[in-house]
Every structure is written in structure tokens, then in C-alpha cells.
Amino acid sequence: MTELLYLLAAVLFILGLKRLGHPRSARSGNLLAATGMLLAVLVTLVDLQVVSWLVVIAGLAAGTGIGAMLAVRVQMTSMPELVAAFNGFGGAASALVALAETLRAGAETIPAETGVTAVLSVAVGAVTLSGSFIAFGKLQGILPGRPIGFGGTNALNAGLVGVAAVVATWAVIGGSMTPYWLLAAVALLVGILGVLPIGGADMPVVISLLNSCSGLAAAAAGFVISNSALIIGGALVGAAGLILTFQISEGMNRSLANVLFSKFGVGEGGGQAGDAAAVQRASVDDVAITLGYANSVIVVPGYGMAVAQAQHALHDVADALEARGVEVNYAIHPVAGRMPGHMNVLLAEADVPYEQLLDLDQSNPKFAQTDVVVVVGANDVVNPSARTDTSSPIYGMPILDVDRAKTVVVIKRSLSPGFAGIDNPLFYLDNTLMLFADAKEALEGLARSVVEV
Amino acid sequence: MTELLYLLAAVLFILGLKRLGHPRSARSGNLLAATGMLLAVLVTLVDLQVVSWLVVIAGLAAGTGIGAMLAVRVQMTSMPELVAAFNGFGGAASALVALAETLRAGAETIPAETGVTAVLSVAVGAVTLSGSFIAFGKLQGILPGRPIGFGGTNALNAGLVGVAAVVATWAVIGGSMTPYWLLAAVALLVGILGVLPIGGADMPVVISLLNSCSGLAAAAAGFVISNSALIIGGALVGAAGLILTFQISEGMNRSLANVLFSKFGVGEGGGQAGDAAAVQRASVDDVAITLGYANSVIVVPGYGMAVAQAQHALHDVADALEARGVEVNYAIHPVAGRMPGHMNVLLAEADVPYEQLLDLDQSNPKFAQTDVVVVVGANDVVNPSARTDTSSPIYGMPILDVDRAKTVVVIKRSLSPGFAGIDNPLFYLDNTLMLFADAKEALEGLARSVVEV
Amino acid sequence: MSEALIIGIVVFVLAAFVGFEVITKVPPTLHTPLMSGANAISGITLVGALATAAAGAGALASFLGFLAVTTATINVVGGFMVTDRMLGMFRKKPK
Amino acid sequence: MSEALIIGIVVFVLAAFVGFEVITKVPPTLHTPLMSGANAISGITLVGALATAAAGAGALASFLGFLAVTTATINVVGGFMVTDRMLGMFRKKPK
Ligand SMILES: NC(=O)c1ccc[n+]([C@@H]2O[C@H](COP(=O)([O-])OP(=O)(O)OC[C@H]3O[C@@H](n4cnc5c(N)ncnc54)[C@H](OP(=O)(O)O)[C@@H]3O)[C@@H](O)[C@H]2O)c1
Ligand SMILES: NC(=O)c1ccc[n+]([C@@H]2O[C@H](COP(=O)([O-])OP(=O)(O)OC[C@H]3O[C@@H](n4cnc5c(N)ncnc54)[C@H](OP(=O)(O)O)[C@@H]3O)[C@@H](O)[C@H]2O)c1
């Protein structure tokens, strides 16, 4: 019976994952998967001969409290790092299960084939743990976002993986706990050194890959304790996570190997600001007039809008323009902001109608027929050097071709570069006006002025 | 080891099915699946303690000989019925496996849960067998293609299913072979009476559904003999076949329930010819002139082209027209002919370039800008009453809107109706010319005349 | 329920999911060959037929086994061959 | 190889196929929530953690079990909640 209920839970996971991939059904998919998980946990509790209820209940209570608090408290802008942290905890759990089970059964007595799966679970789980927390640190700004490393990082890591393989073999044939602990330590090091040299911009890819790993670790733990729920659930996430990883890196126009081993964006971290004398500045009132007499306006939001929390003010400006008969749309670049879907979430929060959001392919043909493009705190995603400058670190990334519009207004605080740490030729074009200000303040001013012109 | 090799075979089945769904990879997909099957059979032969090699070898030899002969000999136009026949054999095999195994283990001794799966295998396998052969008979013309039945067919069938359920229960709890034989007999009857009332035009849907059933029967047999290869392979085909069934019936614009229970096309079978005086006749030379001075021509092939084997002559006409600078395309209706893809296969055989074949959605917007449409042996798929006449049995089927072209030339031998047995208003329109002739002869004449005009 | 039955059900459900997911929107041209190829795969029951025939338990069971092997082999061999023939016709022959 | 291992492999391979097939082309907007939801599912290791913690074999094993339950629960509860929160923001609030 237990097995069949586990199967039902697995079916709920499958249906949940499937629904999570479509906009309309995504939320119900998440609920379905959560129901499956609740079922699996209840079945386990009923089925187990629990010796130490205290341990079980304390663990469940502590985990629920911490998880719920983090999930509710965190800022929208910090969600990607939160996912990374949760993922790290999952990896840790799988490694711990394998360790505890080996300890309980006795490292001397477990058969070699169980040893193999235990070793896999410990190694993959530990890599997931440390790798996820390095990703967390990079996104939180605790660690510098730029790639950290030296020439031989890849070689050193390859060497460490070799050491891990030797230690793992020792664990399988040796019959003592020592190599298991050692393996966990080496694997933690591999996770740290593997993720440090990857730039913060690529963290979504890394987190997704580590998510796939945490699935594999769970499946391996399932083999150790002969539990079909872990094997099915783990294999599902391992495979689905891998496919998702490819899709995410494709969306960023990078190959997975390139993300992992190439130290993309070794830029100077801070980056220098460009030459302020070479740009055309504009005041809020200048921009209000330009906008007020336009026929069509496209807004390009970026990370700066998120930082300034300017989405509501932006919507107010759009309302004011629409009241004057101006057509307003929003062009959303797939990697604008700091996580996939970042802009969509913020604009939805400010009640911007879904129909006005255009993606890359919809908006690029429109710019040439657009009177004014307003770039709000975006930078890399509108950098024309991605099209032309083969030496640029973002060369080849598809960008929003805003420079084709009649007039471009850029709202940002200075000429400082964005995430990739590079200057942006857009700012110096003849048809570009720079409005240097915090996005929220500038837009609030615009909302007032547009009504008056 | 055996189990893992079976798993490998199953993986080959999965990859094969996946590839079969895409035009470029379809053939390699079939080879992959066949390789998986060979692997599964070899593994079984090596693994078994064969007591009676004679029986095994005789069966394999006989089956291979008959199967290969049928596959090589049969005409292209008879392939759908051949698939039906093969499917029937597969269903028979699953039922026989369950019967033989019950006999061997002793009906008295097998546990109830094995009994349940044995009963399922026998029932589903037998339905598949008889249903498939009725479908075969209808498509071959041995049985009349029109629905056969009387008012209470559905009720009678429901009753028979009830009887089968009772007999099956008896088999599971009774502990003798008698109910098993009886069940097989009742199930054969259900298959016959279930398929007889379905019109020949719907046989592709029925065969696909029975194909799904034969997968389920194989899976049930797998439970009886505890064999994972049968369970996986059977479940795969059961599910994939079901999806395919829905897609095929969707392609015919029918719902599955409607196909199975509604006696579609109870038309008069023969059908009467229309009024020959009301149409405009044309000679080969008239048509040659019309075609020769056109700018754009679209050809609509149908079942008559297949009967006349006129695809090569058709290609010659197209070549002659193209030599004069006329643009030629082909509009392929999804159910033209007698099986999905029928026209594509024939035109490919005659080396018509793939790019010139337009599907329904591509061709319908084109007809209004087309000078001449040549309908070669098609009828139902260009019948405008599907659009307008709510009482027509084909009302609602999407058709090729050839009546929108400047001129329509219809090549067929008479005004006889096509598969659905109904008259076609297209023939009586002012812009329609009828060329009464065998398709092959007419097209050969046209190929000569077009060069001369 | 026996252990074997439960495992069988788990495997069946997972394989059925794979079957559902693996068939996406198939162009109508491929409906017939795909049906035919899937039909040949359902001939996997041949493996079961071999097991039954090999056991050689009495004349009737042997005869049923023989019939099962024959019919399943027709399904498998004929099915894959006719599918291949159909698909072969879709390809343009090199002139 | 033990029977259990073989069955585990069969189940693993089938489930992995389902995982591969179930994720089709996902719009970029859903990448983050999907990742987050899948991550919560990988917290299924909680079931294993419960089994380990419940066994209560010695102080160290119990402590590891406790840690495993806690971390896995954080993963599960936090993961599903944060995914729901993210997805909730995609929906327009009724004014
Ligand atoms: N979406 C993802 O999944 C993801 C994840 C990780 C990394 N990334 C990377 O992040 C970048 C995203 O591009 P993006 O164009 O959105 O952003 P960006 O290139 O990082 O530029 C953001 C700009 O916003 C401005 N800004 C910051 N605070 C502001 C405020 N309060 N008011 C107004 N402006 C403000 C900054 O200029 P000032 O300092 O002059 O104001 C900065 O140049 C890409 O390089 C992408 O690869 C994306
Ligand atoms: N594709 C499938 O999967 C499938 C399967 C089963 C049934 N169906 C059904 O079959 C029908 C297909 O439509 P269709 O338009 O292709 O064919 P159709 O409606 O059956 O008409 C075929 C026409 O070809 C003519 N014809 C026969 N032999 C000929 C010859 N030697 N030379 C010239 N003309 C000849 C016949 O008229 P004359 O006798 O006057 O020459 C007949 O009217 C649909 O009703 C469809 O639902 C399709």
C-alpha cells in the first residue's frame, strides 16, 4: 500500500511539473506537487516504526518554521538566491541521509552496491550544498559577483574530482566511515571551487544545474535506503532540471559548457563610468514634452527599475500618456533584471496589463516605427555593442534594438555600467537623451509633468 | 542482467517511438524499435530453459515467413488493412499467452491477482483480434464499408460487456479453465459487434484504438508472467496509441466517441449519380488550353488518383506546365485517399518535390488567387456542402475550398459519389468544368496537349 | 498485494507516462507509419509467447504456445517491415 | 546485482524519461518558478530523512537524522511557498 501511495505522490509530482511549464496552470501545478509531497510525508510517518519521535518532530518543526519564514519574508528581488539556498539545504539532506544510513547499518557490513549509491549521494549532495551557497553569496552581494579564480582553476578542480574518486573507491571497498567523511569534505571543496569562477550573471544557470544535481542526490539516497519515492522523485527532478538548465542557458544565448568553464564577464567588477561631456542631458520637463507629443512609446525596464522599486510610478506615467492618446507598450528582454521573469513579476505587481508586455521577437521589429523609447534602469540589454563589437563580453547576446527608434530616453543615475561592467555606446548617440536621476523620482516627476504639457 | 537488457530494449522502443513522430527521423526510429525487439527476443532465448525447441523454432519460422511475405507483397493502397491484420495477430498472441500460462500453472492454483491480469489479457486480446479483422474486412471490401447494425447495437454490446464481466469474475474466483475459454468467446463477439457498426471511413481511428488495446493486452500478459519487457512495452504502446488515436480522429474532425458510437455515414452505400445534364463538360484539349494559359495552378489529388495510379502522369503534366512558366502546387487534404498520408506517399513515389505539397491551412488562403484548380479523382474533400449543408453527413469537416478559384477542372469518370456516398454541388457550379475520364488516361492526354497549345 | 504486482504497477504507470509524453503533435502524413510502428512494438508479447512455448507443458499448452509465437512473430516481423516500406516511400528516390 | 538494485534502475530510467519529456519549451518568464518548484520536489529526500531520523540508532546517527529532516523540510516548505508567492505575482490582482 505504501508503495502505491508513493506512486500516487510521484504521479502528482509529474502532473505538477507539467503544469508548472505553462503560464495558466503554473500555480495549480505547484499546489499539485506540494500535495504529492504532503502525501508522501504522511504515508512515511504512518508506515514507519518511529523510535525517536522527538528527533522527527523537532526536525519537522524547525524546518517548517525556518522555510516558511524565509519564503514569506524575502524581498522579490532576492528570490533567486533564496531558491539557491533552499536547493543547498536539499543537497545537504540527501548527503546526510546517506551518511546516517551508512553509520546506522555499519560501514563494514553494507554491500558494495549500496556503498556505491551511498558514495554518489554523499558526493553529489555535498557539491550541491556548497555550490548553492556560493551562488547564494554571489547573488546576495556577500561575495563579489565577478568570476573569482586564477589560471589553473579548472585543472585544480579536475584534480579534486580525481581525489574524490579515489576516496569514494576507498569508501566502497574499505568498510570504514573515515572515507565517507573525507569524501563529504572534498566534495564540498569541489562545489566551492567549481562555482567561484563563474560570474554572477550566470548564477541562474548554475542554480538550475545544481537543482538537477540535488534531484540525482535524492535518487541516489533512494537507492541506499531502497525507497521508490526518492528514486522516482529524484530522477524526475534530475532529468527535468537538466532540460531546464539547457533552456535557461539558451535563453541567455550561452552554451552550458561556456557558462561553467569560461569565466564570462571577467570585467573590472566596478567598471568605469563613460565621458559625461559626450552625452545629451535632458530634464524631466524636456522628456515630458517629448513623450507628451509622441504617438507611440515603448518602455524598456531593467534592473535599475527593480532597485528603485519604480514600477508603480512607471505605470502612472503610462496611464498619463494613454490618457493623452499615446500608445504605450513595454519591451521585456529575457534576462533584464537579475532573474528570468524579473520584470514581468514587478510589472504585474503594478497592474500593468499583460497584453502590453512584448518579448524580444515582438518588440524588435517595432522600434523603427516608434517615436520614443524610454529605457528605465536598463543597460546591458540595450547595449548595441552586443551586435557589433566582437571583443565585447556580451557580443552575440540578442539585445533590444532601441537605437532604431526616433528618440531614445535613458533614465539612470549616472553613466556607470551595468551587470557586465562595460560602457554602452547607446548613451552617446545623437538620438539619445540622458535623464540622470533615480528611476522612481524621475518617473514620479514625469507623471506630474506629462499631464501639464 | 536479463532485466537490464530488457530495460535497454524498452529504451530503444521509447527512442524509436519518439523518432517515428518526426518526418526526418521516422525511418531510423522504426529501425531503432526493431533493434530493441531483436534484443528482447535474443535475451529471452538465451535466458530461457527451452524444453521444446521445436515448438519455438517452428513458431518463429512460420511467423517470420508469413509476416515478411505479407509485408513485401501487399499493394501500397492496402497497407492500412495490413496494419489491422498484424494488430489482430498481436492481440491474439497476448490472449494466447495468458491462456497457455493459466493452463500450465493450473487455473485452480494461480492466485486471484494473477487471475485478474490473465482475464484482462484474454479479454482485451480477443477484442483486439476480432475487431481488427472486421476492420480488415471492411477496408478490403470483403465486408461492406458502410455501418452494419440495427437500432440496439450499442445496447446489445453493453449487455455483452456485462456478460464478459460476469464470466471474468467467475474465472478469477472459480479456479477452472472453462470460464477462460468462455471469456475469450464472448470477447471475440464484442470485438465483432463493436466494429461492424462503424463506417469504413473511420477505420483508421478504429485500428489505432485497437492498437492501443493490443499494447494493454501485452502489458496484462506481462503481469501474468511477471515480465517487465511486456509491461513496459505494452504500457508504452497502450498510452502512445491512445494519444495517436485522438490525433487521428481530430485530423478527421471527429470526436472519438462520435466515431465509435454514432454510425457516421449511414449513406446508401452505392449512392446515386447526379444529373449529368446540369454540368459543363470539357474535353482534354479544352482543359489543356485553360491550363496552358494560366499563371497559377493547384492540383487536388484524391482517392481516384490512387485507383488510377495516375501520380506519374500527373507529375508529367505539372512538368509540362512548369516548362511554360506556370506555377504548380498540390493541395493535400488530411483524409484524401483511404489512409492518412496516402497522397503524400503516392506523390513522393512519382518524385513530386516535397516543397510543392501544401496542407489544408497553407492552401485554403491561396485558392482565391489561383487561376485553375485541377481536382484529380477527389470528391468528398472538395465538397462545399461540408461548409453549408447542416444535414450533410460530412457537415463540419474542413474541406479544401477549391470553389473559390477562378476555374475548377474536375477529372473523374462520372458523377458518382465518393466515399461518403453523397452528391457534390461543386460539379454544378458555373466556374467548374467536368472532364469525364479515367484519371490516368486524361492526364496522359493532357501532358501531350499542353505542350502543343 | 504481492511485491511483484506492486512493482509491476509502478513500472506500468511510469511507462504509460512516457508513452503519453513521447507522442507530441504528429503531422498527419506520419499517422499511418507511426500507428504501424507502435503496433509492431506491441508485438513484444512475443517474449511472453516464447516463454510459454518453451515451457512445453502438455499438448494443448504447447499448441497454444506455438500459435502465440507464430502470431506474435507475424505481428513483429510484418509490422516493422511494412512500416519501413511505407516510410521508404516518403523519401525522394535519388534519380 | 541484487533484485532491488535492478528494479531501482528500471524505475529510475523510466522516471528520468518522464522528467525529460514533461518539460517542453517553457517561456522564460516561468524559468524561475519552474526551477523553484522542481527544487521543492527534490526535497522528497525528506522521506528518506524521516526514515533515518526515526530509526534512532545512536547519538551521531540521530543528530545527522535530525539535521537531515530539518534541512529537507526547509527545502520542501520554503520551496513550495516561495514558488507559490512568485507565481501569485504573475496574476493580476483584482482591483
Ligand atoms: N535576468 C536574469 O536572469 C539575470 C540573472 C543574473 C544576471 N543577469 C544580467 O543582468 C543584466 C541585466 O541587464 P539590465 O539592462 O536589466 O541591467 P544592467 O545592465 O545591470 O543595468 C542596470 C542599470 O540600472 C541602473 N540603476 C541602478 N539603480 C538605479 C536606480 N535606483 N535608478 C535608476 N537607475 C538605476 C544602473 O546605472 P546607474 O548606476 O547609472 O544608475 C545600471 O546601469 C544582464 O547583463 C544580464 O545578463 C540577468
Ligand atoms: N485518408 C483517410 O485516412 C481515410 C480513410 C478512410 C476513409 N476516408 C474517406 O475517404 C474520402 C476521401 O476523399 P477523396 O476526395 O480522396 O475521395 P472520394 O470522396 O472517395 O472520391 C473519390 C472519387 O474518385 C473517383 N475515381 C475513382 N476511380 C477513378 C479513376 N480511375 N479515375 C478518376 N477518378 C476516379 C470517383 O468518382 P468516379 O467513380 O466518378 O470516377 C470518386 O468520386 C473521405 O470521405 C474520407 O473521409 C479517408
Side-chain angles (χ1 to χ4, degrees):
Chain A
M1 207 53 209
T2 313
E3 290 293 310
L4 291 186
L5 289 172
Y6 279 157
L7 180 62
L8 180 59
V11 168
L12 290 173
F13 291 161
I14 295 172
L15 297 176
L17 269 181
K18 206 174 150 72
R19 297 179 75 90
L20 268 168
H22 301 280
R24 275 153 198 275
S25 57
R27 205 168 181 186
S28 71
N30 186 53
L31 270 179
L32 226 52
T35 312
M37 187 63 76
L38 188 64
L39 176 67
V41 169
L42 290 180
V43 167
T44 309
L45 288 179
V46 169
D47 187 54
L48 277 179
Q49 269 80 49
V50 181
V51 178
S52 31
W53 274 107
L54 185 68
V55 176
V56 168
I57 290 175
L60 281 175
T64 306
I66 299 174
M69 195 197 64
L70 288 174
V72 173
R73 284 272 181 84
V74 78
Q75 283 279 320
M76 241 338 278
T77 37
S78 312
M79 289 213 179
E81 45 263 48
L82 189 62
V83 174
F86 288 155
N87 193 43
F89 285 123
S94 294
L96 288 169
V97 167
L99 286 173
E101 180 65 16
T102 317
L103 202 63
R104 194 188 61 72
E108 321 73 44
T109 57
I110 61 167
E113 62 181 47
T114 311
V116 171
T117 53
V119 147
L120 277 176
S121 183
V122 170
V124 180
V127 168
T128 306
L129 169 62
S130 60
S132 296
F133 277 95
I134 295 296
F136 173 82
K138 290 208 170 214
L139 287 174
Q140 268 295 41
I142 304 173
L143 291 168
R146 72 193 150 76
I148 303 172
F150 44 90
T153 323
N154 288 346
L156 176 66
N157 246 326
L160 273 177
V161 171
V163 172
V166 172
V167 177
T169 317
W170 175 17
V172 172
I173 56 175
S176 93
M177 273 314 280
T178 320
Y180 283 96
W181 302 117
L182 210 58
L183 179 64
V186 177
L188 285 173
L189 212 56
V190 171
I192 295 173
L193 292 181
V195 177
L196 269 183
I198 303 175
D202 288 325
M203 282 308 127
V205 180
V206 173
I207 299 173
S208 178
L209 185 65
L210 290 171
N211 177 28
S212 171
C213 288
S214 77
L216 294 182
F223 277 95
V224 176
I225 61 169
S226 292
N227 183 304
S228 66
L230 265 69
I231 298 180
I232 301 179
L236 262 181
V237 176
L242 198 61
I243 295 290
L244 190 60
T245 306
F246 283 111
Q247 286 193 20
I248 294 179
S249 52
E250 201 176 274
M252 297 188 165
N253 201 38
R254 312 278 316 273
S255 82
L256 186 55
N258 185 275
V259 165
L260 295 181
F261 305 119
S262 80
K263 301 194 204 157
F264 169 76
V266 195
E268 283 73 55
Q272 345 71 322
D275 177 7
V279 304
Q280 302 176 59
R281 286 158 179 261
S283 70
V284 167
D285 289 336
D286 299 340
V287 173
I289 292 172
T290 316
L291 287 173
Y293 292 102
N295 288 315
S296 56
V297 169
I298 294 185
V299 178
V300 177
Y303 179 62
M305 181 191 79
V307 174
Q309 289 290 314
Q311 59 271 25
H312 296 279
L314 178 59
H315 193 191
D316 292 343
V317 174
D319 279 347
L321 288 173
E322 282 174 335
R324 296 178 63 102
V326 183
E327 184 195 338
V328 181
N329 284 297
Y330 301 76
I332 311 293
H333 191 280
V335 300
R338 288 293 179 273
M339 66 171 189
H342 202 168
M343 296 298 117
N344 304 61
V345 171
L346 294 175
L347 294 177
E349 192 193 315
D351 283 327
V352 171
Y354 198 78
E355 312 79 62
Q356 293 183 5
L357 308 187
L358 310 178
D359 65 20
L360 197 70
D361 295 334
Q362 291 168 323
S363 47
N364 268 342
K366 283 208 167 177
F367 288 121
Q369 289 97 50
T370 300
D371 294 327
V372 187
V373 166
V374 185
V375 177
V376 182
N379 191 339
D380 299 340
V381 300
V382 293
N383 191 333
S385 58
R387 277 201 317 259
T388 49
D389 179 2
T390 48
S391 69
S392 167
I394 61 169
Y395 179 70
M397 175 168 105
I399 60 153
L400 291 166
D401 301 327
V402 296
D403 48 328
R404 305 226 163 115
K406 296 210 187 72
T407 308
V408 180
V409 175
V410 177
I411 305 179
K412 65 200 294 284
R413 296 165 308 176
S414 65
L415 283 177
S416 311
F419 195 93
I422 51 170
D423 199 15
N424 190 339
L426 174 75
F427 303 156
Y428 310 98
L429 295 181
D430 286 345
N431 57 343
T432 301
L433 297 174
M434 298 299 296
L435 173 49
F436 290 121
D438 173 77
K440 191 169 181 184
E441 285 165 20
L443 289 167
E444 282 168 356
L446 276 175
R448 282 190 298 273
S449 307
V450 163
V451 185
E452 289 159 13
V453 290
Chain B
M1 206 52 208
T2 313
E3 289 294 309
L4 290 187
L5 289 172
Y6 279 156
L7 180 63
L8 180 59
V11 168
L12 290 173
F13 291 161
I14 295 171
L15 298 176
L17 269 181
K18 206 173 151 71
R19 298 179 74 91
L20 268 168
H22 301 281
R24 276 154 198 273
S25 58
R27 205 169 182 185
S28 71
N30 186 54
L31 270 180
L32 225 54
T35 312
M37 188 62 78
L38 188 64
L39 176 66
V41 169
L42 290 180
V43 167
T44 311
L45 288 180
V46 169
D47 188 54
L48 278 178
Q49 269 80 49
V50 181
V51 179
S52 32
W53 274 107
L54 184 67
V55 176
V56 169
I57 289 174
L60 281 175
T64 306
I66 299 173
M69 195 196 66
L70 288 174
V72 173
R73 283 273 181 84
V74 77
Q75 284 278 322
M76 242 336 280
T77 37
S78 311
M79 288 210 179
E81 44 263 51
L82 189 62
V83 175
F86 287 154
N87 193 44
F89 285 124
S94 294
L96 288 168
V97 167
L99 285 173
E101 181 65 16
T102 317
L103 203 64
R104 195 188 60 73
E108 321 73 46
T109 57
I110 61 169
E113 62 180 47
T114 312
V116 171
T117 53
V119 148
L120 277 175
S121 182
V122 170
V124 180
V127 168
T128 306
L129 169 62
S130 60
S132 295
F133 277 96
I134 296 294
F136 172 83
K138 290 209 170 210
L139 287 174
Q140 267 294 39
I142 303 173
L143 293 168
R146 75 195 146 75
I148 303 172
F150 44 90
T153 323
N154 288 347
L156 176 66
N157 247 326
L160 273 177
V161 171
V163 173
V166 172
V167 178
T169 316
W170 175 15
V172 172
I173 56 176
S176 91
M177 273 313 281
T178 320
Y180 283 96
W181 301 117
L182 209 58
L183 179 65
V186 177
L188 285 172
L189 212 56
V190 171
I192 294 173
L193 292 180
V195 176
L196 270 182
I198 303 175
D202 288 325
M203 281 309 127
V205 180
V206 173
I207 299 174
S208 178
L209 186 64
L210 289 170
N211 177 29
S212 172
C213 288
S214 77
L216 295 181
F223 277 96
V224 176
I225 61 169
S226 292
N227 183 304
S228 66
L230 265 69
I231 298 180
I232 302 179
L236 261 182
V237 176
L242 198 61
I243 295 292
L244 190 61
T245 306
F246 283 111
Q247 286 194 19
I248 294 180
S249 52
E250 200 176 274
M252 296 186 166
N253 202 38
R254 314 277 315 275
S255 83
L256 187 54
N258 184 276
V259 166
L260 295 181
F261 305 118
S262 80
K263 300 195 203 153
F264 170 75
V266 195
E268 284 72 53
Q272 347 68 325
D275 176 8
V279 305
Q280 302 175 58
R281 288 158 178 262
S283 70
V284 167
D285 289 336
D286 299 340
V287 173
I289 292 170
T290 317
L291 287 174
Y293 292 102
N295 287 315
S296 57
V297 168
I298 295 185
V299 178
V300 177
Y303 178 63
M305 181 192 79
V307 174
Q309 288 290 312
Q311 59 271 28
H312 295 280
L314 178 59
H315 192 189
D316 292 343
V317 174
D319 279 347
L321 288 173
E322 282 174 333
R324 296 179 62 103
V326 183
E327 186 196 337
V328 181
N329 284 295
Y330 301 77
I332 312 293
H333 191 281
V335 299
R338 287 295 178 272
M339 65 171 190
H342 202 168
M343 296 298 117
N344 304 60
V345 171
L346 294 175
L347 294 177
E349 190 193 316
D351 283 327
V352 171
Y354 199 77
E355 311 80 62
Q356 293 183 7
L357 307 187
L358 311 178
D359 65 21
L360 196 70
D361 294 335
Q362 290 168 323
S363 47
N364 268 342
K366 283 209 167 177
F367 287 122
Q369 288 97 49
T370 300
D371 295 326
V372 188
V373 166
V374 186
V375 177
V376 182
N379 192 339
D380 298 341
V381 299
V382 293
N383 192 332
S385 57
R387 277 200 316 258
T388 50
D389 179 1
T390 48
S391 69
S392 167
I394 61 168
Y395 178 71
M397 176 167 104
I399 61 153
L400 291 166
D401 302 327
V402 296
D403 49 328
R404 306 225 161 114
K406 298 211 185 72
T407 309
V408 180
V409 175
V410 178
I411 305 179
K412 64 198 295 281
R413 295 164 309 176
S414 66
L415 283 177
S416 313
F419 195 95
I422 51 170
D423 199 16
N424 190 338
L426 174 75
F427 305 157
Y428 311 97
L429 295 181
D430 287 343
N431 59 342
T432 300
L433 298 174
M434 298 298 296
L435 172 50
F436 290 121
D438 173 77
K440 190 169 181 180
E441 284 165 19
L443 289 168
E444 282 169 355
L446 276 175
R448 281 191 298 273
S449 308
V450 164
V451 184
E452 289 158 14
V453 290
Chain C
M1 262 192 262
S2 74
E3 180 81 353
L5 180 61
I6 288 173
I7 290 163
I9 292 174
V10 171
V11 168
F12 179 89
V13 170
L14 289 175
F17 263 105
V18 177
F20 275 123
E21 296 296 334
V22 102
I23 303 294
T24 40
K25 197 93 203 102
V26 177
T29 332
L30 287 179
H31 282 166
T32 307
L34 180 53
M35 190 200 315
S36 176
N39 170 39
I41 294 177
S42 74
I44 183 69
T45 200
L46 171 56
V47 163
L50 288 173
T52 323
L60 183 55
S62 283
F63 178 66
L64 293 183
F66 168 75
L67 275 189
V69 173
T70 309
T71 49
T73 310
I74 295 177
N75 187 187
V76 167
V77 174
F80 283 120
M81 281 180 71
V82 84
T83 310
D84 189 64
R85 211 180 130 201
M86 268 186 233
L87 290 170
M89 296 211 185
F90 284 98
R91 244 207 340 215
K92 272 199 65 174
K93 285 166 238 144
K95 292 194 187 178
Chain D
M1 262 192 262
S2 74
E3 181 81 355
L5 180 61
I6 289 174
I7 291 162
I9 292 174
V10 171
V11 168
F12 179 88
V13 169
L14 289 175
F17 263 105
V18 177
F20 275 125
E21 297 296 334
V22 102
I23 303 295
T24 41
K25 196 92 203 102
V26 177
T29 333
L30 286 179
H31 282 165
T32 306
L34 180 53
M35 191 201 312
S36 176
N39 169 40
I41 293 177
S42 74
I44 183 68
T45 200
L46 172 56
V47 163
L50 288 173
T52 323
L60 182 55
S62 284
F63 178 65
L64 293 182
F66 167 74
L67 275 189
V69 173
T70 310
T71 48
T73 310
I74 295 177
N75 187 187
V76 167
V77 174
F80 283 120
M81 281 180 71
V82 84
T83 310
D84 190 63
R85 210 180 132 201
M86 268 186 232
L87 290 169
M89 296 215 184
F90 284 98
R91 244 206 339 215
K92 271 198 68 173
K93 284 166 241 144
K95 288 191 192 185

